[in-house]
Amino acid sequence: MDLENKNKDHKSKLGNFKLPKLPIKLPKPPPPPTHLGDVELPKTLMYLLPVGGLFTLAFVGAIAAFVITAWWGQPIPVLGFEQTFDQPINFPHTVHASTKQLDYKDADGNTMMGLGTDCTFCHRTVNKTTAAGANAYIPPVNFCANCHGVIGTEDNSQLNILRDAAGIIGEDGTSPINWRRVHRLPDHVRFVHEPHIRYLSANPEHIKGETDGVSTGPSAVCSTCHGNVASMEKVYQVEPLKMRQCVDCHRDNEAPTDCATCHH
């Protein structure tokens, strides 16, 4: 009983005890910065931030545009990518490859017919199964000079470029003709023309290009990827020549689509 009374008496005394108030006030923390002006940055960095942002945005946009056009369409005309070029000699495929009546007139003033020359007559490497068949090489100037050494007037400035390069006129005949390539595939792609020409020549129903005014045979086959070159005053790229196009064509014709077919 005495112990219980002591505990009650002790609790009553503690209940009346109050802690004294401390007179010390803690300082309030500074408010967070509400805008960039509240943050102390070097003045140079303040000017560089918006400029860097614009450059970053432009760079990302350029990469996105390049990737989109690289997959879905023609390359954008920057960094050397163009669909056509001015060549050192205005070589008209209409005269050489077309089978139609032309607007050109010969030396006697008569309207000309296209010669209807097959593509493989000049681009002879496309029928080879070796590494040379991977490119449709332009023939050497002496090959062209076999005809144009005597065909064409002597004052034809375009033909004289060829004749000079072939050594027919001029002093040394060492002026090369720097043709500019129009159709180009990436270096990691190996496209051999010969099997494509052989297959499509045997299966002309699979030829997808325009063949109006084009001679039958390989010339018609070439239109699948290169368009109707026989109707072009200046050769230009008409197909995107992208991987998706090649894979779709291989699938349609039950050709192999494994990576080693083209990438080896």
Side-chain angles (χ1 to χ4, degrees):
M1 293 295 294
D2 293 338
L3 182 60
E4 291 179 0
N5 292 331
K6 288 181 179 180
N7 288 337
K8 289 180 180 180
D9 184 55
H10 181 68
K11 289 180 180 180
S12 62
K13 290 180 179 180
L14 288 176
N16 297 327
F17 178 78
K18 294 182 180 180
L19 293 173
K21 294 183 179 180
L22 297 176
I24 302 174
K25 294 184 179 180
L26 297 175
K28 294 182 179 180
T34 56
H35 53 83
L36 194 60
D38 293 334
V39 181
E40 294 185 1
L41 294 175
K43 290 184 178 180
T44 305
L45 186 59
M46 291 289 292
Y47 291 111
L48 290 179
L49 281 176
V51 176
L54 291 176
F55 273 108
T56 302
L57 183 62
F59 179 77
V60 172
I63 294 297
F66 183 83
V67 171
I68 291 172
T69 55
W71 182 255
W72 279 287
Q74 301 282 29
I76 53 180
V78 296
L79 304 177
F81 294 112
E82 292 183 8
Q83 293 186 27
T84 187
F85 299 99
D86 290 328
Q87 300 292 352
I89 296 178
N90 297 326
F91 180 87
H93 280 80
T94 50
V95 173
H96 295 81
S98 177
T99 59
K100 288 186 172 183
Q101 189 84 18
L102 305 176
D103 294 332
Y104 292 96
K105 293 184 178 181
D106 58 22
D108 298 326
N110 300 319
T111 304
M112 295 177 56
M113 286 287 295
L115 299 176
T117 306
D118 190 84
C119 297
T120 57
F121 180 78
C122 296
H123 304 287
R124 298 193 171 191
T125 57
V126 296
N127 282 331
K128 297 183 180 295
T129 57
T130 59
N135 294 297
Y137 290 116
I138 294 176
V141 291
N142 289 327
F143 181 86
C144 305
N146 287 333
C147 293
H148 288 292
V150 293
I151 296 177
T153 59
E154 294 182 357
D155 60 349
N156 189 312
S157 60
Q158 293 288 302
L159 291 178
N160 283 339
I161 298 175
L162 170 68
R163 292 164 181 160
D164 180 49
I168 297 175
I169 62 174
E171 297 180 357
D172 50 15
T174 57
S175 300
I177 299 176
N178 296 316
W179 300 102
R180 303 187 67 182
R181 188 169 183 170
V182 177
H183 301 88
R184 183 183 298 275
L185 294 177
D187 292 338
H188 61 275
V189 177
R190 184 172 182 266
F191 179 88
V192 181
H193 288 79
E194 190 276 334
H196 298 83
I197 294 175
R198 174 164 35 87
Y199 173 80
L200 291 176
S201 295
N203 302 274
E205 67 275 9
H206 294 292
I207 297 175
K208 296 181 179 180
E210 181 186 348
T211 58
D212 184 31
V214 180
S215 60
T216 58
S219 290
V221 170
C222 297
S223 65
T224 300
C225 296
H226 296 288
N228 191 350
V229 177
S231 66
M232 298 180 186
E233 293 285 346
K234 182 190 298 184
V235 176
Y236 58 92
Q237 184 174 333
V238 297
E239 295 291 340
L241 303 180
K242 303 299 179 185
M243 180 176 175
R244 182 177 64 174
Q245 181 184 13
C246 298
V247 172
D248 289 343
C249 185
H250 274 225
R251 287 172 177 167
D252 293 342
N253 293 280
E254 299 181 353
T257 56
D258 56 283
C259 300
T261 302
C262 302
H263 304 287
H264 61 93

